[in-house]
Amino acid sequence: MAAYSAVATACSNNVVLGNELFTRTTHSPASTSLARECTSWRQKEIVSPPFQCSSRLRTEGLKARPESGGFLTFCSPPSAPAAVTPLVDVYDFICNGPLLSKTGHTPDSVKESFDEWIELGLRLSRNLGFNELFLSPSEKIRIYHYYLPVFMWCKRQLTLHESQYKESEEIPALVIGITAPQGCGKSTLVYSLDYLFNSTGRRAISVSIDDFYLTGAEQEKLASENPGNTLLELRGNAGSHDLELGTQTLEALRNLSSEGRKVKVPRYDKVLLFEGWMLGFSPVGTETYEAVDPQLEKVNANLAPYHDAWDKYVDSWIVIKVHNLDAVYNWRLQAEIGMRLTGRPSMTDEEVKDFVSRYIPAYKAYLPGLYASGPKNAVPGRILQFDIDDDRNPIG
């Protein structure tokens, strides 16, 4: 494990000290100049500067990697030594996460890559606008129990994907399908994965089924062909997407490095994040959809071509489960209220209720099958499924 300690937040003479801050040594003790990347887990207490920076304090508790020489750098005030505490709390917090084993990790594997967990956690915290000097409990959960474990799983999927091709073969992009109900935080997860891949030197791009809705005129035509069917009156349900456009887009993005393409992308480390609220849905029997809402008859028929058009391109799946469908309404209402408070256009409470009600029948008809069996083309080892609570946090 990398040499971390609870010490300093910056590598300058104006350093703040807290009891859960840390720094990392990037050179061995033999180096004449010990370069440091001073970052932090969180800060509880600030001691006024100036400080004198010293180094080569042998680590206790969490062991350093051999290449670090077992040393860590720390900053302390000239009149009093700093209390150096290994980041056991961070390590334990990661290891107690509900997705750890689901994403193929163990405490030992976390220990081996602990430096990466910390570095990526700090980067992502800053990118999401969190104060990395003091992560709130909910922010710590999002970073270290949710986004990072899922990203680490995705990295393994990329390695597995690339291993299926010979050295001389061109490797298409790994397509990761992410399916989850609206409002559950799916877009933020996708944004975080996109950022983490690209910030670590891998090519990633994200696309949503929302990018492939019918044009306004085409949607009006669909609604007129199904008079009285509120599920097809507005965009959203199966039938309101341009499947051909989606197929062409997925095919082009998946094979960006093919010969003859104007856009050239390295033949390795390419990831396409494909997200949508109804990805992986499969048609159900007449008895099932009629018990939910007879209006689903046309939606159910429209759903059949989606697998061959889109789902078949997905190599690995992330299925985020929501069992309390009332949460979908509450999440949307929260979003609209937030928009109102900032003066942006928003829906009224009644409009939110009407909007969400057009999706609920599909959730009731298709989520049970998705949660029980997974997407149609999912294979063992290539699917990650987990539940989230009403606060959008993973619960295993």
Side-chain angles (χ1 to χ4, degrees):
M1 183 176 298
Y4 286 99
S5 66
V7 285
T9 61
C11 288
S12 67
N13 287 330
N14 296 321
V15 185
V16 291
L17 181 69
N19 66 343
E20 289 182 290
L21 308 180
F22 67 86
T23 181
R24 176 161 60 105
T25 308
T26 57
H27 291 260
S28 70
S31 302
T32 57
S33 174
L34 290 177
R36 305 185 303 283
E37 179 187 346
C38 294
T39 46
S40 67
W41 161 244
R42 57 188 168 119
Q43 177 185 1
K44 285 185 176 179
E45 180 182 356
I46 295 178
V47 180
S48 299
F51 295 95
Q52 296 176 339
C53 291
S54 57
S55 61
R56 301 187 181 182
L57 176 68
R58 186 165 298 278
T59 184
E60 298 293 339
L62 302 180
K63 294 182 178 179
R65 287 184 179 278
E67 62 266 26
S68 73
F71 291 90
L72 45 97
T73 299
F74 71 102
C75 299
S76 62
S79 60
V84 179
T85 306
L87 286 178
V88 176
D89 60 333
V90 187
Y91 172 75
D92 288 343
F93 187 81
I94 294 172
C95 292
N96 288 326
L99 299 186
L100 193 73
S101 62
K102 281 181 173 287
T103 54
H105 291 92
T106 65
D108 285 341
S109 69
V110 172
K111 184 181 294 184
E112 286 297 314
S113 58
F114 189 59
D115 52 350
E116 182 181 17
W117 283 83
I118 295 298
E119 181 177 356
L120 293 180
L122 290 164
R123 284 190 194 180
L124 184 58
S125 295
R126 289 191 291 267
N127 188 261
L128 292 176
F130 299 161
N131 181 357
E132 75 271 19
L133 301 183
F134 189 91
L135 292 178
S136 69
S138 62
E139 290 168 348
K140 286 195 298 183
I141 290 172
R142 291 296 174 86
I143 297 294
Y144 292 102
H145 282 183
Y146 195 174
Y147 302 150
L148 284 186
V150 173
F151 172 67
M152 298 297 193
W153 181 85
C154 290
K155 277 180 52 184
R156 291 187 177 186
Q157 293 299 304
L158 180 59
T159 300
L160 179 60
H161 174 72
E162 293 173 349
S163 70
Q164 298 175 335
Y165 295 85
K166 296 179 180 178
E167 183 65 28
S168 60
E169 293 180 310
E170 186 173 279
I171 303 176
L174 167 70
V175 181
I176 300 177
I178 303 169
T179 179
Q182 296 120 316
C184 72
K186 177 174 69 271
S187 296
T188 306
L189 172 63
V190 171
Y191 172 84
S192 299
L193 295 176
D194 187 303
Y195 168 76
L196 289 168
F197 272 119
N198 283 290
S199 68
T200 54
R202 301 169 178 87
R203 296 284 188 129
I205 190 171
S206 60
V207 64
S208 168
I209 65 170
D210 294 351
D211 298 323
F212 308 127
Y213 278 136
L214 298 175
T215 64
E218 291 169 338
Q219 181 59 45
E220 289 180 4
K221 183 175 182 292
L222 176 65
S224 66
E225 292 172 346
N226 297 274
N229 190 329
T230 61
L231 304 184
L232 295 174
E233 187 176 12
L234 302 174
R235 292 171 174 172
N237 280 289
S240 65
H241 301 89
D242 187 332
L243 293 181
E244 183 177 358
L245 174 61
T247 300
Q248 292 173 351
T249 302
L250 291 172
E251 186 69 31
L253 292 175
R254 186 171 180 268
N255 298 291
L256 276 176
S257 58
S258 297
E259 291 185 8
R261 298 282 183 184
K262 292 183 179 180
V263 181
K264 296 294 184 179
V265 178
R267 64 177 293 277
Y268 51 84
D269 288 351
K270 299 190 300 292
V271 181
L272 174 58
L273 303 168
F274 185 32
E275 61 99 349
W277 71 275
M278 51 169 286
L279 277 184
F281 282 11
S282 296
V284 295
T286 303
E287 193 173 304
T288 300
Y289 72 69
E290 284 189 344
V292 174
D293 188 334
Q295 293 185 108
L296 281 170
E297 179 180 6
K298 183 63 175 177
V299 173
N300 197 63
N302 292 338
L303 189 58
Y306 275 70
H307 172 76
D308 289 333
W310 294 354
D311 292 358
K312 71 177 183 181
Y313 287 99
V314 177
D315 302 296
S316 302
W317 286 93
I318 297 175
V319 180
I320 304 173
K321 300 180 181 180
V322 174
H323 294 284
N324 177 20
L325 293 181
D326 289 338
V328 177
Y329 167 76
N330 293 332
W331 291 332
R332 185 64 191 224
L333 183 60
Q334 291 168 6
E336 296 297 324
I337 291 175
M339 294 172 68
R340 285 180 223 161
L341 293 175
T342 57
R344 291 177 291 171
S346 61
M347 290 188 284
T348 65
D349 291 4
E350 286 302 315
E351 288 172 334
V352 171
K353 184 176 181 180
D354 175 70
F355 176 80
V356 174
S357 70
R358 298 170 190 265
Y359 296 89
I360 295 298
Y363 288 139
K364 291 182 176 179
Y366 304 117
L367 285 182
L370 177 68
Y371 292 171
S373 305
K376 184 178 179 180
N377 67 326
V379 297
R382 306 302 298 270
I383 180 172
L384 173 64
Q385 298 187 77
F386 56 89
D387 299 271
I388 60 172
D389 59 22
D390 289 356
D391 292 323
R392 304 181 181 89
N393 292 324
I395 53 177

